[in-house]
Amino acid sequence: MTEHAHSHGHSHSHAHGVAPDADRRWLRSALILLTAYMAVEVVIGVVAQSLALISDAAHMLTDAVSIVLALVAMRLAARPARGEYTYGLKRAEILSAQANGITLLLLSVWLAYEAVQRLISPPAVTGGLVLVTALSGIVVNLICTWLLSRANRSSLNVEGAYQHILTDLFGFVATALAGLIVLTTGFERADAIASLVVVVLMLRAGTGLVRESGRIFMEAAPAGVDPDALGEHLVATDEVVEVHDLHIWQITSGQPALSAHILVAPGGDCHKVRRSLQELLSGEYGISHATLQVDHVGEQGAHHDVLTLGPRPAADPERQAGHCEDAHGPVHRSGPRRR
């Protein structure tokens, strides 16, 4: 196959709202605050015999771990591409996000089991101690939520840590309400019910993180991008006859990439077509990392074929249709669409 043009859109307009160093600073501040409060909460939870407080403390432990993973992933992702890792270690951030999601799901299973046990046989709970601790936890989590909101949440890695903290905040609200109910009514099962509320929130956040990180690992198209519609858009460009081997994926969160083989009508300006397509991809789809192989129709012959911009003899229709025996994915052609 004769290559006419390869173009790599390496402008990478993936600007973060803040610098990576600032991201790390916000995350480190939240980590210090969470770790200090978590140690206090464990002690109080044991004294008060409150599963809601202990579950919140356990969740805060996963919060701390998620931030540590995020910080490590940021450092790895910042390393330049070299050797076998031609994209660098950017997907370390996605590994971190997936680990955060899985820990949320596993912890939710354990807490659900414990909560059901306490619904059946509720222990004595010190409601006043639970209420005061939960209210202070709300304050701590509000501060941590604000700190992480200052970081770049377009990164799935940072979003994973943020979801941990946000879920914990809602959990503290539920725990505070449980403490108030126990204190005023003596209904001790409220503590276990609050734990189940936390479980639901953890399941929701964990499922979302695992699903989104899984899409990136499976190299699915970015959310909101329909590959078939995009292919039809490309083939509708002037002088484009066919688009095949179209692949759209994400290197990491916020960094979509595309590759495709483009066939241009005989006599068409391949360079102009390639520039037009890259401008379309960048401007309308936000894909600035695009690798386009552009050829004239009928130039996929022997290796000694000479590449020209002028008209060539008409290609054999049967050969043209099957010039690529293994087209990886749908083929988009100009003209009337087959039904």
Side-chain angles (χ1 to χ4, degrees), residues 160-176:
Y162 179 82
Q163 286 297 332
H164 266 271
I165 303 295
L166 190 62
T167 304
D168 207 26
L169 173 61
F170 293 145
F172 269 115
V173 172
T175 302

Side-chain angles (χ1 to χ4, degrees), residues 268-287:
D269 187 338
C270 284
H271 298 290
K272 179 181 178 182
V273 169
R274 187 255 305 162
R275 288 193 297 269
S276 297
L277 294 180
Q278 287 192 310
E279 288 173 3
L280 183 153
L281 291 170
S282 179
E284 298 193 27
Y285 294 94
I287 303 174

Side-chain angles (χ1 to χ4, degrees), residues 48-263:
Q49 297 191 67
S50 170
L51 178 62
L53 281 183
I54 294 173
S55 65
D56 282 332
H59 192 193
M60 289 188 87
L61 176 61
T62 67
D63 294 344
V65 171
S66 73
I67 294 176
V68 170
L69 286 174
L71 289 168
V72 172
M74 280 180 179
R75 187 168 294 277
L76 291 174
R79 293 182 179 179
R82 61 166 63 96
E84 297 178 346
Y85 296 95
T86 56
Y87 280 127
L89 297 174
K90 295 184 182 298
R91 282 198 176 169
E93 294 188 335
I94 309 306
L95 278 171
S96 170
Q98 190 162 72
N100 285 335
I102 291 173
T103 56
L104 280 171
L105 294 177
L106 292 177
L107 190 58
S108 67
V109 172
W110 174 73
L111 290 176
Y113 173 78
E114 290 294 327
V116 170
Q117 292 293 100
R118 291 203 173 202
L119 279 175
I120 298 171
S121 302
V125 177
T126 308
L129 197 54
V130 172
L131 177 60
V132 172
T133 307
L135 289 175
S136 61
I138 290 173
V139 174
V140 170
N141 273 265
L142 281 172
I143 296 172
C144 291
T145 302
W146 178 81
L147 288 171
L148 265 69
S149 70
R150 301 284 293 172
N152 173 38
R153 284 182 54 208
S154 66
S155 164
L156 192 60
N157 177 43
V158 175
E159 178 65 15
Y162 179 82
Q163 286 297 332
H164 266 271
I165 303 295
L166 190 62
T167 304
D168 207 26
L169 173 61
F170 293 145
F172 269 115
V173 172
T175 302
L177 290 174
L180 181 61
I181 292 171
V182 172
L183 181 63
T184 57
T185 69
F187 181 61
E188 292 172 336
R189 285 185 173 86
D191 183 75
I193 294 172
S195 295
L196 290 175
V197 172
V198 176
V199 165
V200 172
L201 295 172
M202 292 170 70
L203 284 172
R204 180 176 177 274
T207 301
L209 286 171
V210 171
R211 182 179 60 248
E212 291 306 314
S213 59
R215 283 179 57 85
I216 292 178
F217 281 129
M218 296 301 293
E219 299 197 334
V225 176
D226 181 348
D228 287 332
L230 189 150
E232 295 299 325
H233 198 171
L234 294 180
V235 83
T237 303
D238 289 343
E239 300 184 339
V240 174
V241 174
E242 180 178 306
V243 175
H244 62 262
D245 288 355
L246 174 63
H247 303 286
I248 312 168
W249 70 100
Q250 291 188 86
I251 300 169
T252 186
S253 52
Q255 294 190 17
L258 175 146
S259 65
H261 190 183
I262 311 295
L263 295 186

